[in-house]
C-alpha cells in the first residue's frame, strides 16, 4: 500500500531499476554485508591480508564462485550479484579452483587442483559451508557437519598451502568446524551468513582490511554431538532433566559449544568501563496487585513477595546506565555492545541470561565513545514461568555487558502504596 499499488500513486509507480540500483543503494547492500560478517578466528593477526605482500590468491571451495546462493531465501530480484572471486580479484590475482562441484561435495577428485593452487599462491581463501539444498524452511538438517568431502578439502588444502589460509563459511545455521578452529594451519575463519548480492565484495573488503569486522554471531554454534543429546521432536527450550535433555539457545544451554551466541572478533581491541548505573529499583504496587509464587531451589533465599504478573503493572519503571567503549588498538572499528540480564540466583528452571539491549558504536583508534542505555524493567527483567505467565521477580538481578568484562547488580523490590 505504501508503494501505491492500490491507489495508482505516480510517485512510486514510476520507480525503476535506475532508482533502485543506484550507487547509494548498492553501497548500502555492501555495507549491510560487511556489518553482518563475523570474524571467528584470527591467529597471530593474520587478517587483514596485506596487498603489498599478497599478490596471488588461491580461491577454492564450493562457494568461491557463489552468486544466487548468497541471496538465501525470501530475496527479491538483485540488481547484480558479485561473487567472492570477483571481490577478491580486486585485491590480488586470483587462482580459482572449485575443489568441490557443489556443497554436497560427493566427488573428491577436484581437491588436487585446489591443493595445487594453494601450493603456488601467496595466500589461500577457502569458501565452504551449506546452502538451501541443506537447510531451508521445508528441509531439516540431519547433522551439524560440513557435507561430503568439504572437511577433507579444507584439511588437505590447509596442509599444503604456501601462505596463510583463510576459511570463509556461508550458512544460516551453525556448523561444527572444530577441526578448523583447532587447526594451526588455518589462521583465520570468517562467517559470512548469506551475505546478499554484494556479498563477494564485502567478504573481500573484510579479508583485506577495507572494513574492520564487528559482527556477532546471532545463534549458538553447537558441537556435532548435540543432535544426539535430544530428539528434535522435543520442543521445550528449557532442559528436560528427567530425560537428560540439554536446553536450547544461549538462554538455556550452558554446555560446550564451537562458538557461543554473540561471539565475534575485531582487528582492533575494545575495553568497556562502567561510568554510571542504577543499582536498585523500587516498583510500587497498588493494593489490587497480588504477589505471585515462583519456584526457587530449596536452599535459596526467597523474597516475601517473590514476583508479580507483568500484565498487572503499568511497566513504567526504567533503569539507566552508561558504558565507555575505548578502542585501545591501532585500527578504527565498530563494536556491538550487547547487554544481558541474569535473574536472581536461586530461581528454579529459568533462563541463564537474556539479551535486553544492544548498540553498535564506531570508535576511532585510540578514542572512546559513551553508550547510554535506558531499559524498561518489565521487558528487561521479566521471566516466563512453566504456566506461560510473564512474571517480574524481586531480588538481585545482574546486568552483564558483552562477555562479562562489565557487570553490576540491580536490586529490584516491591513497595505497596
Amino acid at each position: 500500500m505504501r508503494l501505491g499499488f492500490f491507489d495508482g500513486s505516480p510517485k512510486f509507480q514510476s520507480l525503476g531499476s535506475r532508482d533502485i540500483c543506484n550507487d547509494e543503494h548498492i553501497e548500502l547492500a555492501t555495507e549491510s554485508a560487511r556489518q553482518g560478517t563475523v570474524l571467528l578466528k584470527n591467529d597471530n593477526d593474520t587478517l587483514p591480508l596485506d596487498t603489498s605482500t599478497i599478490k596471488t590468491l588461491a580461491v577454492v571451495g564450493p562457494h568461491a564462485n557463489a552468486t544466487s546462493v548468497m541471496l538465501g531465501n525470501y530475496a527479491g530480484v538483485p540488481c547484480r550479484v558479485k561473487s567472492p572471486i570477483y571481490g577478491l580479484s580486486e585485491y590480488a590475482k586470483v587462482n580459482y579452483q572449485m575443489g568441490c562441484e557443489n556443497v554436497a561435495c560427493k566427488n573428491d577428485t577436484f581437491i588436487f587442483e585446489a591443493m595445487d593452487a594453494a601450493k603456488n599462491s601467496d595466500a589461500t581463501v577457502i569458501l565452504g559451508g551449506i546452502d538451501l539444498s541443506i537447510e531451508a524452511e521445508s528441509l531439516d538438517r540431519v547433522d551439524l557437519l560440513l557435507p561430503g568431502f568439504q572437511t577433507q578439502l579444507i584439511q588437505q588444502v590447509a596442509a599444503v598451502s604456501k601462505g596463510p589460509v583463510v576459511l570463509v563459511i556461508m550458512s544460516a545455521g551453525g556448523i561444527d568446524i572444530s577441526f578448523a578452529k583447532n587447526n594451526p594451519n588455518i589462521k583465520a575463519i570468517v562467517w559470512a551468513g548469506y551475505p546478499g548480492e554484494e556479498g563477494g565484495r564485502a567478504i573481500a573488503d573484510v579479508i583485506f582490511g577495507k572494513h574492520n569486522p564487528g559482527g556477532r554471531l546471532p545463534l549458538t554454534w553447537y558441537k556435532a554431538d548435540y543432535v544426539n543429546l535430544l530428539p528434535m521432536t522435543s520442543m521445550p527450550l528449557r532442559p528436560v532433566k528427567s530425560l537428560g535433555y540439554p536446553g536450547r539457545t544461549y538462554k538455556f544451554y550452558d554446555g560446550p559449544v564451537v562458538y557461543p551466541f554473540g561471539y565475534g572478533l575485531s582487528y582492533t581491541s575494545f575495553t568497556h568501563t562502567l561510568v554510571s548505573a542504577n543499582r536498585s529499583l523500587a516498583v510500587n504496587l497498588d493494593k489490587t496487585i497480588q504477589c505471585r509464587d515462583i519456584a526457587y531451589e530449596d536452599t535459596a533465599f526467597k523474597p516475601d513477595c517473590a514476583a508479580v504478573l507483568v500484565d498487572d503493572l503499568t511497566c513504567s519503571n526504567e533503569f539507566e546506565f552508561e558504558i565507555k567503549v575505548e578502542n585501545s588498538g591501532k585500527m578504527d572499528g565498530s563494536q556491538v555492545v550487547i547487554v544481558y540480564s541474569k535473574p536472581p540466583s536461586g530461581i528454579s528452571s529459568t533462563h541463564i541470561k537474556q539479551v535486553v539491549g544492544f548498540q553498535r558504536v564506531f570508535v576511532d583508534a585510540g578514542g572512546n565513545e559513551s553508550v547510554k542505555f535506558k531499559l524498561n524493567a518489565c521487558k528487561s527483567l521479566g521471566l516466563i514461568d512453566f504456566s506461560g505467565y510473564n512474571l517480574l521477580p524481586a531480588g538481585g538481578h545482574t546486568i552483564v555487558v558483552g562477555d562479562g568484562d562489565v557487570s553490576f547488580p540491580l536490586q529490584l523490590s516491591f513497595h505497596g502504596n
Side-chain angles (χ1 to χ4, degrees):
M1 291 184 68
R2 291 174 61 191
L3 292 175
F5 283 118
F6 298 101
D7 57 15
S9 172
K11 178 180 178 182
F12 296 115
Q13 283 190 337
S14 62
L15 292 177
S17 61
R18 68 185 184 279
D19 305 291
I20 298 168
C21 298
N22 57 39
D23 291 343
E24 181 183 0
H25 291 170
I26 287 174
E27 175 58 26
L28 178 61
T30 311
E31 182 62 17
S32 298
R34 292 187 191 115
Q35 290 194 21
T37 301
V38 183
L39 180 63
L40 298 175
K41 178 181 178 180
N42 193 21
D43 287 354
N44 303 319
D45 294 328
T46 296
L47 294 183
L49 298 182
D50 188 348
T51 55
S52 66
T53 57
I54 305 298
K55 302 296 184 181
T56 58
L57 197 64
V59 181
V60 305
H63 282 324
N65 197 29
T67 52
S68 59
V69 168
M70 297 191 298
L71 304 180
N73 56 1
Y74 295 101
V77 179
C79 296
R80 64 185 196 186
V81 180
K82 295 299 182 181
S83 69
I85 290 176
Y86 172 90
L88 292 166
S89 66
E90 296 288 299
Y91 291 93
K93 182 180 179 181
V94 165
N95 184 357
Y96 165 57
Q97 294 292 335
M98 60 183 179
C100 296
E101 54 189 335
N102 51 42
V103 296
C105 200
K106 295 180 179 180
N107 187 343
D108 65 349
T109 58
F110 299 103
I111 294 177
F112 302 103
E113 288 88 349
M115 293 170 64
D116 188 62
K119 291 177 184 178
N120 296 285
S121 301
D122 297 328
T124 298
V125 178
I126 308 172
L127 292 109
I130 52 182
D131 62 13
L132 297 186
S133 70
I134 304 293
E135 57 177 357
E137 189 167 340
S138 59
L139 185 65
D140 291 336
R141 296 166 63 188
V142 296
D143 60 51
L144 297 176
L145 301 171
L146 287 170
F149 290 104
Q150 278 200 53
T151 297
Q152 181 178 325
L153 164 70
I154 295 166
Q155 297 277 50
Q156 291 186 207
V157 168
V160 301
S161 180
K162 182 177 77 170
V165 176
V166 180
L167 173 62
V168 179
I169 296 292
M170 289 190 197
S171 71
I175 302 173
D176 187 345
I177 52 170
S178 299
F179 74 93
K181 178 182 179 181
N182 299 325
N183 187 338
N185 294 324
I186 299 173
K187 299 299 183 183
I189 302 175
V190 173
W191 180 67
Y194 294 129
E197 61 186 62
E198 298 294 324
R201 290 178 58 214
I203 290 169
D205 288 347
V206 168
I207 289 175
F208 281 92
K210 181 179 179 180
H211 176 81
N212 185 353
R216 301 298 187 94
L217 283 183
L219 73 167
T220 302
W221 282 30
Y222 302 99
K223 290 183 176 292
D225 65 353
Y226 179 83
V227 300
N228 301 318
L229 301 178
L230 75 167
M232 292 299 107
T233 52
S234 175
M235 293 293 104
L237 293 179
R238 291 177 172 86
V240 182
K241 294 182 179 180
S242 61
L243 298 173
Y245 297 165
R248 297 173 185 265
T249 79
Y250 78 96
K251 293 180 68 173
F252 297 99
Y253 178 72
D254 59 359
V257 299
V258 183
Y259 292 107
F261 171 91
Y263 184 82
L265 305 175
S266 172
Y267 295 153
T268 190
S269 301
F270 293 99
T271 57
H272 304 90
T273 306
L274 183 63
V275 177
S276 62
N278 298 133
R279 296 177 183 267
S280 62
L281 188 64
V283 177
N284 291 322
L285 307 179
D286 65 40
K287 297 178 180 179
T288 63
I289 296 178
Q290 295 181 340
C291 293
R292 300 284 179 135
D293 192 25
I294 192 169
Y296 267 75
E297 304 292 344
D298 292 339
T299 59
F301 169 76
K302 185 176 182 179
D304 292 334
C305 183
V308 296
L309 191 65
V310 166
D311 288 346
D312 290 341
L313 301 172
T314 59
C315 286
S316 59
N317 296 87
E318 296 177 326
F319 59 97
E320 302 180 34
F321 58 97
E322 181 178 347
I323 301 292
K324 183 175 75 172
V325 181
E326 183 177 0
N327 184 342
S328 55
K330 298 180 180 179
M331 189 173 184
D332 300 345
S334 62
Q335 172 76 327
V336 180
V337 182
I338 305 177
V339 179
Y340 302 88
S341 71
K342 291 185 175 183
S345 61
I347 298 179
S348 177
S349 302
T350 188
H351 57 267
I352 301 166
K353 62 180 182 179
Q354 61 182 348
V355 174
V356 295
F358 65 91
Q359 291 187 43
R360 181 187 287 262
V361 57
F362 186 87
V363 188
D364 294 330
N368 64 81
E369 295 289 339
S370 177
V371 183
K372 296 181 179 180
F373 289 89
K374 178 184 286 189
L375 301 176
N376 179 274
C378 290
K379 294 180 180 178
S380 302
L381 306 178
L383 59 85
I384 306 298
D385 70 4
F386 275 101
S387 299
Y389 288 109
N390 188 3
L391 301 176
L392 180 63
H397 298 257
T398 304
I399 306 301
V400 180
V401 178
D403 297 329
D405 49 345
V406 170
S407 65
F408 61 91
L410 179 62
Q411 185 71 29
L412 187 144
S413 59
F414 298 125
H415 294 271
N417 290 335

